[in-house]
């Protein structure tokens, strides 16, 4: 019965994740549709638009085909009448990923994580299939296979990561525990998987925070240009609302662009353009308000920002080294070197995937190449994180660290005798000094019972010999 309940809850979670994502699109579209066309408008077009945008938010490209009548009426070039829209608004994808991770963690907490992963992914796949079949727009076509596979891949990744992470920490009395036991048998290498993942998480969180601060700083400095582009668009209230919602959906995409800029390679806003710390080379860009944040020029001195990913790697290295010291596992050098390399490689891999999702096409012609280059961005982030992590993880062990280890051992020994047994006695051999002779019974007060705070009954402390 418990396994059936886990499967039902996982299926409900998947349905809620899909429903919330679709509702977030349908609600504003319904309001805007009513304001623009009135309550008597044809509502049949809302569902195809919402379904197509939901798929687009999970990385599915859209093929736009403008009708010939519109082309001749507006006077645009026939070459610009058809193009692919593939620059993903990552807000929808991240929501699905996080919601799925929460569902996987709950399934693992219930003791049947694999069943939860399968049930949730199957239900989400059925919903994605139904959306792909029913939400077919005439002017915006999506590949049917990608419309099904990509949303399911996003959900499966999230639910699997959440379930495995919880099962690794708490155990599952099954496959993960067997793998964990096998890893524990590696001895000094057993800390590698957990510490690499922990360090990578610290790097990604640090990079996201740095990118968020960079975007906020640009908004404060160049907010006037953004407002000017809003005004030049000459849109009504409905159009302004659509632009604002679109900017919010693309905010995580902008953060990935900021990470690429901070790492050094930068990003493109059209074929033959570049925006990087080393220099900005832009031609004519669309009048999208967010493009007002793009710096007009750069200085070679701006390359100092590449130290920020190095600092993120150093922060992760310091975090891992502190844990290794506490676990009395910081002495071997080879595992620490592998941890530093693993953090750099995994961070580079995650950034590469993010860069692929945050790049693509936003229009015809030269606007088919927008966003960061995945390979160069991943290489730069990996190298910079490796430098920072290696500095902290491979630095020689200093006196303070050795003293901390000795203090930790002394506290652990003290905590296992006087506090566990009030009648226990203290000798200097317990503190790690084998050269100090034991005092004869009753020849001093050094062997008197200690109280809960490590003092003798008269308030004195053991005197060194």
């Amino acid at each position: 019965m418990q396994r059936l309940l886990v499967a039902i809850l996982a299926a409900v979670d998947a349905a809620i994740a899909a429903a919330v994502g679709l509702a977030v699109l349908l609600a504003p579209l319904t309001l805007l549709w009513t304001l623009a066309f009135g309550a008597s408008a044809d509502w049949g077009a809302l569902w195809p638009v919402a379904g197509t945008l939901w798929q687009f938010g999970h990385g599915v490209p859209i093929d736009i085909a403008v009708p010939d009548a519109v082309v001749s009426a507006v006077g645009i070039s026939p070459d610009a009448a058809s193009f692919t829209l593939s620059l993903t608004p990552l807000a929808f994808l991240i929501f699905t990923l996080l919601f799925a991770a929460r569902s996987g963690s709950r399934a693992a907490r219930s003791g049947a994580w694999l069943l939860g992963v399968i049930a949730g992914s199957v239900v989400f796949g059925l919903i994605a299939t139904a959306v792909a079949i029913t939400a077919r727009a005439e002017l915006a076509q999506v590949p049917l296979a990608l419309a099904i596979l990509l949303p399911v891949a996003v959900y499966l990744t999230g639910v699997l990561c959440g379930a495995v992470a919880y099962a690794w920490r708490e155990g599952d009395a099954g496959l993960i525990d067997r793998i964990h036991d096998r890893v524990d048998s590696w001895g000094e290498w057993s800390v590698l998987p957990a510490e690499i993942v922990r360090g990578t998480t610290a790097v990604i969180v640090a990079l996201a925070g740095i990118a968020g601060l960079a975007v906020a700083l640009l908004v404060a400095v160049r907010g006037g240009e953004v407002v000017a582009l809003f005004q030049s668009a000459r849109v009504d209230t409905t159009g302004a609302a659509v632009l604002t919602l679109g900017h919010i959906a693309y905010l995580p995409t902008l953060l990935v662009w900021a990470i690429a800029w901070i790492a050094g390679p930068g990003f493109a806003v059209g074929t033959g353009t570049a925006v990087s710390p080393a220099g900005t080379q832009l031609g004519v860009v669309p009048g999208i308000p967010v493009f007002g944040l793009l710096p007009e020029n750069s200085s070679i001195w701006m390359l100092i920002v590449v130290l920020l990913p190095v600092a993120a790697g150093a922060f992760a290295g310091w975090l891992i080294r502190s844990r290794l010291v506490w676990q009395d596992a910081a002495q071997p050098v080879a595992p620490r070197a592998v941890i530093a390399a693993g953090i750099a490689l995994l961070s580079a891999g995650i950034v590469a995937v993010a860069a692929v999702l945050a790049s693509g096409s936003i229009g015809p012609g030269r606007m088919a190449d927008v966003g960061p280059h995945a390979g160069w961005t991943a290489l730069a982030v990996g190298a910079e994180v490796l430098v920072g992590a290696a500095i902290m993880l491979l630095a020689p062990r200093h006196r303070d660290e050795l003293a901390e280890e000795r203090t930790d051992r002394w506290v652990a020994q003290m905590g296992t005798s006087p506090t566990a047994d009030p009648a226990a006695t203290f000798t200097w051999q317990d503190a790690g000094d084998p050269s100090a002779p034991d005092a004869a019974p009753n020849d001093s007060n050094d062997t008197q019972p200690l109280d809960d705070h490590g003092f003798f009954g008269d308030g004195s402390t053991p005197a060194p010999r």
Side-chain angles (χ1 to χ4, degrees):
M1 182 62 184
Q2 182 181 1
R3 295 176 63 84
L4 177 61
L5 183 60
V6 171
I8 293 174
L9 290 176
V12 170
D13 281 343
I16 292 175
V20 170
L22 290 168
V24 166
L25 288 166
L26 275 173
L29 282 176
T30 302
L31 179 61
L32 296 173
W33 194 267
T34 303
L35 293 175
F37 303 105
S40 59
D42 181 16
W43 297 91
L46 277 181
W47 172 247
V49 173
T52 301
L53 290 177
W54 183 78
Q55 295 161 351
F56 180 52
H58 289 83
V60 182
I62 303 177
D63 295 324
I64 306 293
V66 182
D68 294 337
V70 177
V71 171
S72 59
V74 178
I76 62 177
S77 172
D79 296 336
S82 61
F83 58 91
T84 300
L85 192 63
S86 59
L87 183 63
T88 305
L90 293 179
F92 297 99
L93 186 147
I94 292 176
F95 168 78
T96 301
L97 200 66
L98 295 179
F99 202 100
R102 173 183 172 274
S103 177
S105 178
R106 186 163 68 174
R109 193 181 307 117
S110 302
W113 66 269
L114 185 58
L115 179 62
V117 168
I118 295 174
S121 300
V122 168
V123 171
F124 198 87
L126 292 175
I127 296 174
T129 303
V131 173
I133 294 174
T134 59
R136 306 291 291 180
E138 182 179 353
L139 302 180
Q141 298 289 331
V142 297
L144 182 62
L146 293 180
I148 297 173
L149 293 178
L150 288 182
V152 175
V154 172
Y155 190 87
L156 178 60
T157 300
V159 71
L160 193 60
C161 289
V164 172
Y166 185 89
W168 186 271
R169 292 194 311 267
E170 306 296 335
D172 68 336
L175 175 63
I176 300 299
D177 276 350
R178 290 195 294 271
I179 296 176
H180 204 304
D181 292 340
R182 180 66 62 86
V183 172
D184 287 341
S185 66
W186 294 352
E188 62 188 22
W189 298 90
S190 62
V191 297
L192 260 64
E195 301 306 331
I196 288 175
V197 172
R198 185 174 288 108
T200 302
T201 303
V203 168
I204 298 302
V205 171
L207 289 177
I210 293 170
L213 290 175
V215 172
L217 181 61
L218 283 173
V219 171
V221 173
R222 299 185 57 83
E225 284 76 5
V226 176
V227 174
L229 288 174
F230 256 110
Q231 294 174 344
S232 64
R234 299 185 182 277
V235 294
D236 56 7
T237 304
T238 303
V242 171
L243 283 175
T244 302
L245 293 175
H247 281 62
I248 294 174
Y250 273 99
L251 181 58
T253 306
L254 297 179
L255 296 182
V256 178
W257 289 15
I259 291 174
W261 189 88
I262 292 168
F267 54 91
V269 191
T271 304
T273 64
V275 181
S276 70
T280 299
Q281 193 174 21
L282 290 174
V284 179
V285 297
I288 302 174
V290 72
F291 286 162
L293 298 179
L294 298 177
E296 296 179 355
N297 48 53
S298 299
S299 169
I300 194 67
W301 295 103
M302 292 298 294
L303 283 173
I304 197 173
V305 297
V306 302
L307 294 178
L308 295 175
V310 176
F315 169 71
W318 170 79
L319 184 68
I320 300 306
R321 177 121 181 199
S322 300
R323 288 181 54 85
L324 295 178
V325 169
W326 178 257
Q327 297 169 0
D328 196 20
Q331 188 168 1
V333 175
R336 285 183 279 147
V338 175
I339 290 174
I343 292 173
L345 288 174
L346 190 55
S347 300
I350 294 174
V351 170
V353 173
V356 169
L357 294 172
S359 60
S361 170
I362 61 172
R366 58 190 298 269
M367 301 314 298
D369 183 15
V370 175
H373 187 281
W376 291 117
T377 303
L379 180 62
V381 170
E384 291 155 7
V385 168
L386 177 61
V387 171
I391 288 174
M392 297 303 297
L393 283 170
L394 302 181
R397 307 175 75 201
H398 49 78
R399 291 180 298 174
D400 292 341
E401 186 175 294
L402 297 173
E404 182 181 353
E405 289 184 358
R406 289 194 296 267
T407 303
D408 291 340
R409 287 196 296 269
W410 184 82
V411 170
Q413 291 170 353
M414 290 292 292
T416 56
S417 67
T419 58
D421 183 6
T425 59
F426 173 85
T427 63
W428 283 103
Q429 279 76 7
D430 295 332
D433 186 4
S435 63
D438 275 333
N442 300 324
D443 69 348
S444 75
N445 66 349
D446 285 356
T447 57
Q448 296 178 16
L450 300 176
D451 60 16
D452 293 338
H453 302 286
F455 294 96
F456 293 128
D458 57 1
S460 62
T461 58
R465 295 182 180 274

